Amino acid sequence: MPTTVGRRTNRLAPTSRVDRRIVVRLGVVAAVSYAAWLAIGAFGRPYNFFDMKIYHGAVLWWAGGNELYDFVAPSTTLGFTYPPFAALVMLPMSWLPVGGAGFVNALASIGALAVVLAALLRPIVDRLGWPLWFTVGIATPLAVAVEPSRETLGYGQVNLLLFALVMADMVGLRWRARRGTHYETADSPLARFVYSGAWAGVGIGLATAVKLTPALFVAYLMLTRQWRAALTAVGTTIGVTIATFGVLGEESRAYFADVLWQTERVGAADMTANQSLAGLLARLYDSIETPGLLWLAFSVLILALGLSRAMSARADGDELTAFTLVGLTANVISPISWSHHLIWVIPAIIVLADAAVRRREASRGLPPRATGGPSANGVPALRPPIWYPTLTGLRHGVGALGLYLLFVISPIWPYEHQLPEVSHYQDGLFGALMENSLAIALIVLVAALPWRPGAEPAFYHDRLGRTAAPAARR
């Protein structure tokens, strides 16, 4: 009898240890969530669903039989600026009070962000042996705390939902390359279709039908000869737009003939929240308007740089970095990129952090190098640096941490100025630097974000299949 009791105790002990580990991890997730909440309170701005009030008021106005694009929010000059398809999607919010619509949008956006983070972090945590739920549980509140996320949630914007649509296509491309784990075991035609990734491009198409900037991803897909996904995206955008035109012909004609070209409906280029290249140049020139030719010249340069680096990243097997570079490029060259549009810094931080870990891991696997006298061919042997491999990947880790802190602190707001009342140089050169800090960070990322060879290949399966067949015939 004592022996039996001892065996039962031994069987229960591991379960108890596992339970304690889960409790500790849950406590860590709760602590990180609370710290993120404090960071939002310390560095965020007062939020009251300002943009959601405009969307909600516009669809209520429209549902009441009025013209959609004639709506102007009370005490503002702002109206509805999205295409009619977006209005059609937002129409159900007219059934809710504005606060309820804002909270539903916030919950949906946080849920979409968590799903995207799970997809992006899955290859990394599988390699490192970390629990996915724990990693996502920490990453989600950390991501919510950065400027683009908290502004999106606080203003009632849709950027996180559009981000999820675009990243869904990246996952589809990954699955299409047969890197998914469920395709072979799928037990229904629908499941096989989903895990085949044949639908990749639909997300980009839908996002482009709501907001025009995701169209740059279509250009990227064409440049990298991902024809099926590119045609799917184009077909989705055109199909949705034509279908909306058939349902909302008057609103569609008003939008594409008139509203689309009314840039003053969005806001002045020099506003501090506009962290695009156009906003940066307008503030540097201390002007309400952007110097057009200079903006065009630099935009073409940054567009070529961003797309060429994205193509190189994909060619080296890092689709995540390629998508991130395209998204960052779109943020930079767009005439207006409010701070809540800059969602693409989140995957940029992930790429930098993973690059640091990968370089650290690679350095541990290198054989020790010889030291001492000359080698056989008379060339002196290499000396291992004193810091190697201790500081390998340090610059990428510091870059990831610095980028995260920059977008949490968001130093643009203490130096916010608006012409003609106050010059953008009111606080000197340092103030001008801080007011443009996010825009400068975006440009640096487009030019210098590293990619991770072989980390996210979206072509290896098909390419290897084509090269393996002739080899087998020999």
Side-chain angles (χ1 to χ4, degrees):
M1 185 67 177
T3 304
T4 303
V5 173
R7 288 176 181 171
R8 289 177 179 171
T9 304
N10 291 337
R11 279 198 296 266
L12 289 174
T15 304
S16 178
R17 286 196 297 271
V18 171
D19 290 342
R20 284 197 296 270
R21 192 179 304 127
I22 292 175
V23 170
V24 170
R25 287 172 176 167
L26 288 173
V28 172
V29 170
V32 171
S33 300
Y34 182 65
W37 178 263
L38 293 179
I40 293 172
F43 302 111
R45 298 188 293 164
Y47 300 118
N48 60 355
F49 297 137
F50 180 82
D51 289 347
M52 177 59 69
K53 290 179 180 178
I54 297 176
Y55 304 153
H56 188 268
V59 295
L60 278 178
W61 167 274
W62 182 40
N66 301 294
E67 295 295 330
L68 174 63
Y69 295 107
D70 287 344
F71 172 79
V72 178
S75 304
T76 74
T77 59
L78 303 175
F80 194 79
T81 57
Y82 286 116
F85 172 67
L88 199 60
V89 173
M90 294 179 184
L91 189 58
M93 76 170 60
S94 63
W95 306 335
L96 299 172
V98 63
F103 279 110
V104 169
N105 177 72
L107 290 175
S109 297
I110 294 173
L113 176 61
V115 172
V116 170
L117 289 174
L120 301 188
L121 294 172
R122 180 64 180 267
I124 299 173
V125 299
D126 285 350
R127 189 183 79 244
L128 299 176
W130 297 348
L132 180 62
W133 73 266
F134 179 57
T135 308
V136 173
I138 291 177
T140 301
L142 289 178
V144 167
V146 299
E147 168 81 8
S149 298
R150 69 190 183 216
E151 293 274 305
T152 292
L153 299 175
Y155 277 90
Q157 271 286 347
V158 296
N159 302 291
L160 287 170
L161 299 176
L162 300 181
F163 174 62
L165 286 174
V166 174
M167 295 313 298
D169 280 352
M170 195 211 74
V171 173
L173 293 173
R174 181 195 295 172
W175 286 348
R176 191 180 173 199
R178 300 298 189 269
R179 297 186 67 244
T181 58
H182 304 289
Y183 177 79
E184 298 298 337
T185 59
D187 56 359
S188 69
L190 178 60
R192 281 185 171 272
F193 173 75
V194 171
Y195 291 121
S196 72
W199 47 267
V202 172
I204 292 173
L206 290 174
T208 305
V210 173
K211 186 173 287 189
L212 297 179
T213 49
L216 188 60
F217 286 92
V218 178
Y220 160 75
L221 293 174
M222 291 180 174
L223 289 172
T224 54
R225 300 183 179 182
Q226 301 183 77
W227 300 115
R228 177 167 183 159
L231 292 175
T232 301
V234 172
T236 301
T237 302
I238 294 176
V240 165
T241 302
I242 292 176
T244 306
F245 196 96
V247 177
L248 305 173
E250 187 174 348
E251 288 81 358
S252 297
R253 283 189 292 272
Y255 178 79
F256 289 104
D258 188 21
V259 176
L260 179 61
W261 315 106
Q262 296 176 7
T263 56
E264 70 277 3
R265 292 174 66 101
V266 181
D270 76 303
M271 294 177 67
T272 300
N274 181 20
Q275 291 293 306
S276 69
L277 173 65
L280 170 65
L281 292 175
R283 288 187 292 273
L284 290 180
Y285 272 75
D286 211 22
S287 168
I288 294 177
E289 298 181 352
T290 301
L293 290 178
L294 191 63
W295 169 77
L296 181 61
F298 278 113
S299 293
V300 171
L301 177 63
I302 292 174
L303 176 64
L305 176 63
L307 289 180
S308 64
R309 297 194 76 237
M311 293 168 64
S312 298
R314 182 182 187 274
D316 280 346
D318 192 353
E319 196 73 31
L320 172 58
T321 301
F323 265 61
T324 303
L325 285 168
V326 176
L328 292 170
T329 301
N331 286 152
V332 173
I333 67 174
S334 175
I336 298 291
S337 287
W338 304 127
S339 62
H340 55 74
H341 292 159
L342 313 182
I343 294 295
W344 291 97
V345 299
I346 295 175
I349 294 169
I350 294 175
V351 167
L352 283 168
D354 187 44
V357 174
R358 283 174 175 271
R359 281 161 172 75
R360 177 73 171 167
E361 289 176 337
S363 70
R364 292 174 177 173
L366 291 176
R369 295 189 289 180
T371 58
S375 61
N377 59 5
V379 179
L382 295 174
R383 291 187 305 163
I386 296 174
W387 51 264
Y388 189 85
T390 306
L391 300 183
T392 302
L394 178 64
R395 61 191 176 98
H396 298 88
V398 170
L401 180 60
L403 184 63
Y404 179 77
L405 291 177
L406 174 66
F407 276 83
V408 168
I409 297 172
S410 189
I412 63 175
W413 299 119
Y415 302 93
E416 180 181 13
H417 302 302
Q418 183 67 54
L419 292 173
E421 290 81 5
V422 183
S423 167
H424 291 286
Y425 292 97
Q426 178 73 26
D427 296 309
L429 291 178
F430 180 78
L433 177 64
M434 291 297 99
E435 190 178 15
N436 295 293
S437 56
L438 303 188
I440 295 171
L442 293 181
I443 296 172
V444 171
L445 286 172
V446 171
L449 182 68
W451 55 82
R452 308 153 300 157
E456 290 279 342
F459 57 81
Y460 281 2
H461 180 273
D462 294 337
R463 181 177 294 181
L464 291 176
R466 289 195 298 268
T467 57
R473 286 195 294 268
R474 295 195 195 101

